[in-house]
């Protein structure tokens, strides 16, 4: 099946630093999404990307849909303590009912 | 803000027992999903449901699993005879048919512990 690998697996950064994480796939996706999961909660959508090459921002978050459709990155600028959580990329193939395939996750810890 | 709600938040059961996890999707959504997340691992797709039938299911979703939308608001996941390896967080999600954005709204999850 499709595999989405994220790197790094975990990051420990200081408040105010910028963060970059990426996601690579063994196959093509039509839509890429980035979710954040906090302890005891379900994933929450951060950014959705629909076109190869697309660069989208949401506040301090910026994500890009790779030209090959097999990768994506997420950047967080000027990190704050509430950025702590696990960040998952997810790919979707086609159609409104199509399942999401989630990546392996990047755990982010922010220290003061 | 509309949200997906799940009950129970945590269920402990003995191996071999039947479990039903309940979800109330967002009211105008038409596509429903169950995902699971084993502790410390990624979120995995189980099943999608549309128009009162299963649209797609994963290899995890074997004969022990079933889904139902019994009354037009609830969406349930039943595990007939639980195994130790069924211990996980189970997330319900829903999506609007009108907006093909790929955005799934997830509930907070039901933690299942099988002893």
């Amino acid at each position: 099946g499709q595999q989405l690998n994220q790197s790094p697996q975990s990051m420990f950064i200081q408040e105010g630093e910028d963060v970059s994480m990426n996601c690579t796939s063994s196959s093509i996706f039509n839509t890429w999404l980035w979710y954040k999961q906090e302890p005891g909660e379900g994933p929450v959508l951060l950014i959705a990307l629909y076109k190869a090459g697309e660069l989208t921002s949401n506040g301090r978050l910026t994500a890009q849909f790779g030209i090959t459709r097999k990768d994506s990155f997420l950047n967080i600028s000027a990190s704050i303590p509430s950025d702590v959580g696990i960040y998952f990329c997810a790919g979707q193939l086609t159609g409104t009912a199509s399942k999401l395939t989630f990546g392996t996750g990047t755990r982010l810890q922010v220290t003061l | 803000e509309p949200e997906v709600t799940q009950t129970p938040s945590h269920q402990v059961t003995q191996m071999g027992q039947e479990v039903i996890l309940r979800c109330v999707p967002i009211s105008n959504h038409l596509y429903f999903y169950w995902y699971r997340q084993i502790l410390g691992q990624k979120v995995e797709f189980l099943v999608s449901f549309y128009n009162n039938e299963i649209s797609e299911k994963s290899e995890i979703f074997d004969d022990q699993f079933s889904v139902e939308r019994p009354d037009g608001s609830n969406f349930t996941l039943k595990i007939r005879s639980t195994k130790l390896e069924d211990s996980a967080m189970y997330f319900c999600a829903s999506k609007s048919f009108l907006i093909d954005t790929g955005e799934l709204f997830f509930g907070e999850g039901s933690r299942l512990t099988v002893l």
Side-chain angles (χ1 to χ4, degrees):
Chain A
Q2 294 136 346
Q3 298 277 346
L4 292 184
N5 293 309
Q6 287 184 241
S7 63
Q9 278 189 320
S10 62
M11 306 179 75
F12 291 81
I13 61 166
Q14 286 200 321
E15 184 178 8
E17 288 184 4
D18 296 344
V19 170
S20 185
M21 59 188 79
N22 60 47
C23 183
T24 57
S25 169
S26 57
S27 54
I28 289 171
F29 287 101
N30 301 116
T31 301
W32 283 86
L33 306 108
W34 284 91
Y35 282 84
K36 179 187 177 187
Q37 185 180 28
E38 297 186 19
E41 298 189 7
V44 175
L45 182 67
L46 299 173
I47 287 184
L49 302 157
Y50 305 109
K51 290 185 192 176
E54 179 181 355
L55 183 72
T56 297
S57 293
N58 178 10
R60 294 180 296 107
L61 308 179
T62 302
Q64 184 157 32
F65 189 152
I67 289 289
T68 65
R69 297 192 174 192
K70 290 186 177 182
D71 63 319
S72 176
F73 72 74
L74 174 71
N75 289 341
I76 305 172
S77 62
S79 58
I80 58 178
S82 61
D83 290 334
V84 165
I86 303 176
Y87 291 79
F88 289 101
C89 63
Q92 184 184 53
L93 270 177
T94 55
T96 58
S98 185
K99 68 182 183 186
L100 294 182
T101 300
F102 279 83
T104 49
T106 293
R107 182 182 296 273
L108 179 63
Q109 297 276 15
V110 180
T111 57
L112 297 174
Chain B
E1 186 175 319
E3 58 181 15
V4 176
T5 56
Q6 291 185 239
T7 55
S9 56
H10 188 191
Q11 180 152 357
V12 181
T13 189
Q14 294 288 327
M15 192 168 56
Q17 295 296 306
E18 177 183 282
V19 161
I20 297 177
L21 305 178
R22 291 183 169 79
C23 170
V24 179
I26 295 174
S27 62
N28 63 343
H29 285 190
L30 297 177
Y31 289 89
F32 313 114
Y33 306 80
W34 283 101
Y35 286 77
R36 81 169 186 191
Q37 185 179 34
I38 294 171
L39 185 64
Q41 297 187 21
K42 65 179 181 179
V43 179
E44 298 174 290
F45 170 78
L46 291 179
V47 66
S48 60
F49 190 88
Y50 170 69
N51 199 25
N52 284 319
E53 61 182 23
I54 291 174
S55 306
E56 189 173 358
K57 59 183 181 179
S58 71
E59 59 274 12
I60 303 168
F61 193 88
D62 62 21
D63 291 344
Q64 293 300 312
F65 290 88
S66 62
V67 289
E68 198 177 35
R69 189 157 158 81
D71 57 12
S73 63
N74 290 287
F75 179 51
T76 62
L77 174 69
K78 181 193 287 187
I79 309 174
R80 287 190 186 83
S81 178
T82 50
K83 304 187 284 282
L84 294 175
E85 54 266 37
D86 292 328
S87 295
M89 281 289 283
Y90 288 82
F91 292 106
C92 174
S94 69
K95 179 176 174 181
S96 169
F97 173 72
L98 295 175
I99 303 173
D100 188 8
T101 63
E103 180 171 1
L104 267 61
F105 292 83
F106 285 84
E108 293 195 340
S110 293
R111 180 176 298 282
L112 176 64
T113 302
V114 182
L115 302 176

